[in-house]
């Protein structure tokens, strides 16, 4: 019984979703039946059938047009179609009026389909949100509870094959998690203790215990949905212009039709039937339906395409601006680079004692809470060195003093361990490494320098490719960083950017963005959304490489859910393709309108052909806009 009920519900949902198309097709069948009646001399029955077709096929668009007219106190294209159909019936052209209603209904159903297709991307996202979670309390058996009831600090159990119901951190367990719904990245990510996890992502193979960090209404997943819904409701400047133009244009058409009803009779000698008929044809062919549909379906489809690929646009305005970009300013740390240093060189006094020296260095740095210390510790763990105890004394700003087995060591800058000794160590290796933009620290014992370690925040491989892709699109890439000149120069050379500015404070970045705007007119800025916020706001388009952070969602115009610069190149391509499609639609729709108006004036076309040309052009521009759903 439940299965039958579900099938009936599914069928009802499909019928409701396509109700406009079904109504149009029913109207089409009635028109054929009415035409047959008319041919057989059953005029009264035919008129009743035509009226039924008018009501069934035209109800949805007529209701929409009347409601919009009342709400906005302005005429629209739906009103033009209603008047044209009524006018055709008045002069006895029942078939032509019914065909007008039928094709108008079909194009309206197609436009609704286009909108629904775009919104389905968001509906499918919403469907990924679990409604229930396994809550763990006081060591008892997990219990099923609504996700909405979860509180910050709760512990939940997520089994293999289940979606994670809330944002949080892994408390226990190891598993691969599919984060495609958040980042657009198809490769699973391994999660272990302390790893951040997000609601809506799929736990693939291990059992995870997760500590809840956010309530259901504040999860990153919910913010993404809200953001894209907001973007889809925000109209682009082009769309706003078209809608303002529509109101003026409709009034102009009605004025022209009013003159057309009388002037040709007196000026050109047309009979009254022909005059009125041509006025009705003008009402149809001059309607800007195709022009109105030239932008919105394409914009919605592009926003949905971006969301599917981990690119969130905060509105059609920013999507349009991307197409005009000629320069892109990028932050270094976390954008071009990994954001954390790694050990690139480890040179010791005696190669035979390399592992022993690394063991001592790791024992000292294990007590420090500094990115460089973390890099050394991670490097030592990769080498699988043994763990030994050390007594340390921190010397802020310089380094660390340590005692291991009653032997004293110093770890830190050249000035701390002895400048001349450090610079002459290993054939002056420190100077060469520093010139490459690397940070060098030293280990010293009572005999002198024992070892040096060089570390650097390395350039992401995907960042190099992304810079090249952007340059192929005609976009100059500039790096703005607060780092020193040597490091900036090295990173710029490795990443292939066009230019770089070192030692750049947030307010200085704003000044450079203003200079770039003067030179390039349209400039993008990529940053982390905190210290780069002023520059993000100043740029034509602010882009956050947030990796899914809340700050990124709040500050930028465009958010990349994965720290991958190549997504910017994709977004630019998407924007430029949308602009091409919009231009094609506008030129095509205007050309068809002009051609049909001229043809009507010279009595080359009749009402059915005018209806076909007008509504056919509307259908074509909608279908052209739907091409934005395909990846570029």
């Amino acid at each position: 019984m439940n299965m039958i009920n579900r099938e009936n519900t599914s069928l009802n949902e499909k019928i409701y979703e396509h109700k406009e198309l079904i109504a149009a097709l029913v109207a089409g069948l009635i028109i054929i039946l009415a035409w047959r009646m008319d041919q057989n001399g059953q005029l009264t029955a035919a008129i009743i059938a035509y009226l039924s077709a008018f009501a069934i096929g035209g109800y949805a668009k007529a209701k929409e047009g009347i409601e919009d007219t009342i709400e906005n106190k302005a005429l629209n294209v739906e009103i033009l179609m209603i008047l044209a159909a009524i006018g055709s019936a008045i002069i006895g052209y029942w078939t032509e009026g019914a065909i007008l209603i039928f094709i108008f209904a079909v194009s309206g159903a197609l436009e609704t389909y286009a909108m629904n297709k775009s919104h389905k991307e968001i509906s499918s996202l919403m469907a990924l949100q679990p409604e229930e979670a396994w809550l763990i309390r006081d060591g008892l058996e997990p219990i099923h509870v609504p996700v909405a009831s979860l509180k910050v600090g709760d512990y939940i159990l997520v089994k293999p094959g289940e979606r994670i119901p809330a944002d949080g951190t892994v408390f226990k367990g190891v598993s691969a998690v599919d984060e495609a719904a958040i980042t657009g990245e198809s490769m699973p990510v391994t999660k272990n203790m302390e790893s951040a996890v997000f609601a809506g992502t799929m736990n693939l193979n291990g059992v995870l215990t997760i500590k809840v960090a956010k309530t259901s209404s504040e999860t990153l997943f919910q913010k993404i949905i809200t953001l894209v819904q907001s973007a889809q409701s925000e109209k682009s400047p082009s769309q706003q212009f078209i809608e303002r133009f529509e109101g003026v244009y409709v009034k102009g058409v009605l004025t022209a039709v009013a003159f057309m009803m009388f002037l040709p009779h007196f000026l050109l000698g047309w009979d009254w039937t022909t005059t009125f008929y041509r006025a009705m044809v003008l009402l149809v062919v001059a309607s800007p339906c195709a022009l109105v549909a030239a932008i919105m379906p394409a914009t919605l489809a592009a926003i949905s395409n971006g969301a599917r690929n981990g690119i969130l646009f905060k509105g059609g305005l920013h999507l349009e601006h991307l197409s005009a970009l000629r320069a892109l300013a990028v932050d270094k740390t976390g954008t071009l680079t990994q954001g954390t240093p790694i050990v690139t060189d480890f040179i010791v006094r005696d190669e035979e004692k390399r592992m022993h020296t690394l063991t001592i260095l790791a024992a000292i740095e294990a007590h420090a809470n500094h990115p460089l210390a973390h890099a050394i510790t991670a490097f030592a763990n990769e080498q699988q060195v043994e763990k030994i105890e050390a007594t340390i004394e921190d010397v802020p700003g310089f380094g660390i003093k340590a005692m291991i087995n009653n032997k004293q060591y110093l770890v830190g800058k050249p000035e701390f361990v002895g400048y001349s000794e450090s610079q002459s160590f290993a054939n002056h290796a420190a100077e060469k490494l520093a010139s490459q933009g690397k940070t060098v620290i030293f280990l010293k014992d009572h005999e002198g320098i024992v070892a040096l370690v060089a570390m650097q925040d390395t350039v992401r491989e995907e960042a190099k490719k992304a810079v090249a892709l952007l340059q192929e699109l005609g976009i100059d890439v500039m790096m703005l960083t607060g780092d020193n000149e040597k490091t900036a120069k090295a990173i710029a050379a490795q990443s292939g950017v066009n230019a770089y500015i070192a030692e750049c404070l947030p307010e200085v970045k704003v000044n450079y963005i203003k200079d770039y705007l003067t030179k390039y007119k349209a400039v993008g800025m990529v940053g982390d959304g905190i210290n780069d916020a002023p520059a993000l706001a100043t740029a034509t388009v602010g882009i956050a490489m947030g990796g899914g952070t809340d700050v990124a969602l709040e500050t930028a115009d465009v958010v990349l859910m994965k720290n991958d610069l190549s997504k910017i190149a994709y977004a630019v391509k998407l924007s430029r393709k949308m602009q091409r499609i919009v231009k094609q639609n506008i030129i095509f729709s205007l050309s068809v309108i002009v051609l049909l108006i001229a043809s009507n004036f010279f009595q080359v076309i009749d009402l059915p052909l005018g209806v076909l040309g007008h509504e056919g052009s509307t259908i074509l521009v909608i279908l052209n806009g739907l091409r934005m759903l395909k990846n570029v």
Side-chain angles (χ1 to χ4, degrees):
M1 183 65 70
N2 288 337
M3 180 68 72
I4 294 172
N5 289 337
R6 279 198 297 271
E7 287 177 356
N8 289 337
T9 301
S10 177
L11 179 61
N12 291 336
E13 286 175 354
K14 287 181 179 178
I15 291 173
Y16 182 79
E17 182 182 351
H18 300 290
K19 64 181 184 298
E20 285 188 41
L21 180 60
I22 293 170
L25 294 177
V26 169
L29 291 174
I30 294 173
I31 291 168
I32 294 172
L33 180 62
W35 179 78
R36 291 290 299 170
M37 290 176 179
D38 193 11
Q39 294 296 306
N40 294 330
Q42 300 171 290
L43 184 58
T44 303
I47 291 174
I48 293 171
Y50 279 131
L51 286 172
S52 301
F54 274 49
I56 295 171
Y59 174 77
K61 298 301 287 184
K63 180 173 179 286
E64 179 185 333
I66 293 168
E67 287 177 349
D68 285 351
T69 297
I70 295 171
E71 181 181 346
N72 301 318
K73 296 181 175 61
L75 297 170
N76 50 50
V77 294
E78 285 80 8
I79 296 298
L80 293 186
M81 292 301 98
I82 295 168
L83 293 175
I86 293 172
S88 299
I90 289 172
I91 59 175
Y93 285 85
W94 289 96
T95 306
E96 287 82 350
I99 291 173
L100 168 59
I101 290 293
F102 169 69
I103 301 181
F104 193 53
V106 170
S107 68
L110 184 58
E111 188 169 4
T112 300
Y113 169 79
M115 303 303 181
N116 290 342
K117 186 74 174 174
S118 299
H119 288 302
K120 274 182 180 177
E121 300 289 346
I122 308 308
S123 300
S124 62
L125 272 181
M126 294 175 73
L128 298 180
Q129 291 182 296
E131 294 181 359
E132 293 186 322
W134 290 102
L135 177 65
I136 302 173
R137 281 185 178 170
D138 303 323
L140 302 175
E141 285 292 316
I143 58 170
H144 248 135
V145 298
V147 170
S149 70
L150 293 177
K151 299 181 180 65
V152 174
D154 282 347
Y155 290 88
I156 53 176
L157 187 73
V158 183
K159 301 174 183 178
E162 293 182 344
R163 290 198 176 273
I164 295 171
D167 286 7
T169 55
V170 176
F171 178 73
K172 185 170 68 175
V174 178
S175 181
V177 174
D178 180 357
E179 295 188 329
I182 296 289
T183 64
E185 178 60 51
S186 58
M187 293 299 292
V189 180
T190 300
K191 301 289 183 178
N192 44 39
M193 191 175 293
E194 299 300 322
S195 294
V197 291
F198 303 103
T201 57
M202 175 68 78
N203 180 27
L204 297 179
N205 50 25
V207 178
L208 294 176
T209 301
I210 295 168
K211 185 177 181 181
V212 176
K214 292 179 183 176
T215 59
S216 60
S217 62
E218 297 177 340
T219 63
L220 174 64
F221 201 73
Q222 185 58 48
K223 287 183 178 181
I224 290 172
I225 291 170
T226 303
L227 181 62
V228 180
Q229 285 176 329
S230 173
Q232 289 190 328
S233 64
E234 181 184 319
K235 294 170 183 175
S236 68
S238 299
Q239 181 65 27
Q240 291 172 1
F241 171 77
I242 289 294
E243 290 184 1
R244 288 195 302 270
F245 173 77
E246 177 191 355
V248 176
Y249 183 85
V250 167
K251 291 176 184 176
V253 169
L254 288 175
T255 303
V257 168
F259 282 116
M260 190 78 171
M261 286 181 177
F262 302 100
L263 290 182
H265 173 73
F266 297 108
L267 298 179
L268 303 177
W270 293 0
D271 61 67
W272 283 111
T273 302
T274 301
T275 302
F276 194 78
Y277 178 76
R278 287 296 159 191
M280 292 305 99
V281 176
L282 177 64
L283 196 56
V284 172
V285 300
S287 176
C289 293
L291 190 60
V292 172
I295 298 174
M296 184 58 81
T299 304
L300 290 181
I303 290 172
S304 297
N305 188 326
R308 189 175 65 242
N309 285 282
I311 306 166
L312 305 183
F313 301 101
K314 287 191 175 180
L317 168 65
H318 313 302
L319 185 56
E320 283 194 10
H321 282 169
L322 270 176
S323 66
L325 283 192
R326 291 296 174 267
L328 185 71
V330 299
D331 185 34
K332 175 183 76 72
T333 306
T335 302
L336 289 173
T337 66
Q338 299 287 353
T340 54
I342 63 169
V343 173
T344 57
D345 302 89
F346 181 52
I347 303 173
V348 299
R349 184 171 59 198
D350 184 349
E351 278 297 330
E352 292 181 5
K353 297 182 179 179
R354 179 181 177 85
M355 293 302 290
H356 176 66
T357 303
L358 183 57
T359 301
I360 292 170
L361 185 61
I364 297 169
E365 294 289 7
H367 295 274
N369 187 23
H370 188 279
L372 298 180
H374 295 163
I376 292 171
T377 304
F379 178 69
N381 290 337
E382 288 175 7
Q383 304 295 316
Q384 298 182 334
V385 300
E386 62 177 310
K387 289 180 170 53
I388 59 176
E389 290 299 319
T391 303
I392 68 166
E393 177 189 344
D394 189 24
V395 182
F398 290 95
I400 301 172
K401 289 182 181 179
M403 292 293 295
I404 299 177
N405 297 328
N406 297 319
K407 190 173 180 180
Q408 181 172 293
Y409 294 91
L410 299 179
V411 176
K413 297 178 178 180
E415 295 82 359
F416 184 58
V417 300
Y419 187 82
S420 59
E421 285 183 88
S422 64
Q423 296 307 297
S424 61
F425 179 72
N427 295 320
H428 305 279
E431 184 178 350
K432 180 182 177 182
L433 293 169
S435 68
Q436 297 171 1
K438 298 177 181 179
T439 301
V440 183
I441 66 169
F442 300 86
L443 173 66
K444 181 182 180 181
D445 63 9
H446 67 283
E447 295 179 13
I449 302 298
V450 181
L452 71 75
V453 183
M455 288 160 285
Q456 189 175 43
D457 186 4
T458 56
V459 174
R460 300 170 184 269
E461 283 302 316
E462 65 268 22
K464 297 178 186 177
K465 296 175 183 176
V467 169
L469 279 174
L470 288 164
Q471 289 167 342
E472 287 176 10
L473 292 172
I475 298 173
D476 289 343
V477 184
M478 278 75 72
M479 181 180 74
L480 304 181
T481 178
D483 223 325
N484 61 68
E485 173 69 24
K486 287 183 179 178
T487 300
K489 184 177 180 180
I491 296 298
Q494 292 172 35
S495 60
V497 297
N498 295 79
Y500 71 93
I501 306 294
E503 300 176 2
C504 218
L505 297 173
E507 58 269 24
V508 177
K509 288 184 180 181
V510 171
N511 292 333
Y512 276 106
I513 293 295
K514 289 179 179 177
D515 291 342
Y516 293 147
L517 283 169
T518 302
K519 180 180 178 182
Y520 293 98
K521 307 304 179 188
V523 178
M525 171 67 197
V526 189
D528 61 12
I530 305 173
N531 62 327
D532 294 315
L536 288 170
T538 305
T540 311
V541 182
I543 304 169
M545 299 271 290
T549 64
D550 289 346
V551 173
L553 286 172
E554 293 164 2
T555 55
D557 303 316
V558 179
V559 179
L560 308 183
M561 298 312 299
K562 188 171 180 286
N563 283 352
D564 184 355
L565 267 179
S566 65
K567 295 289 186 181
I568 299 178
Y570 183 89
V572 171
K573 288 179 182 177
L574 192 68
S575 175
R576 291 182 180 179
K577 180 181 177 182
M578 188 193 79
Q579 290 298 93
R580 286 196 303 271
I581 286 176
V582 166
K583 286 177 183 176
Q584 289 168 6
N585 285 349
I586 291 174
I587 292 170
F588 175 72
S589 57
L590 286 174
S591 300
V592 170
I593 289 171
V594 171
L595 179 63
L596 291 175
I597 290 175
S599 300
N600 177 53
F601 186 77
F602 291 106
Q603 302 187 43
V604 176
I605 60 169
D606 54 16
L607 187 55
L609 192 56
V611 168
L612 189 61
H614 174 267
E615 296 301 329
S617 65
T618 304
I619 290 171
L620 288 176
V621 298
I622 293 171
L623 290 174
N624 198 33
L626 283 176
R627 288 169 50 211
M628 289 306 308
L629 289 170
K630 295 181 179 179
N631 287 347
V632 296

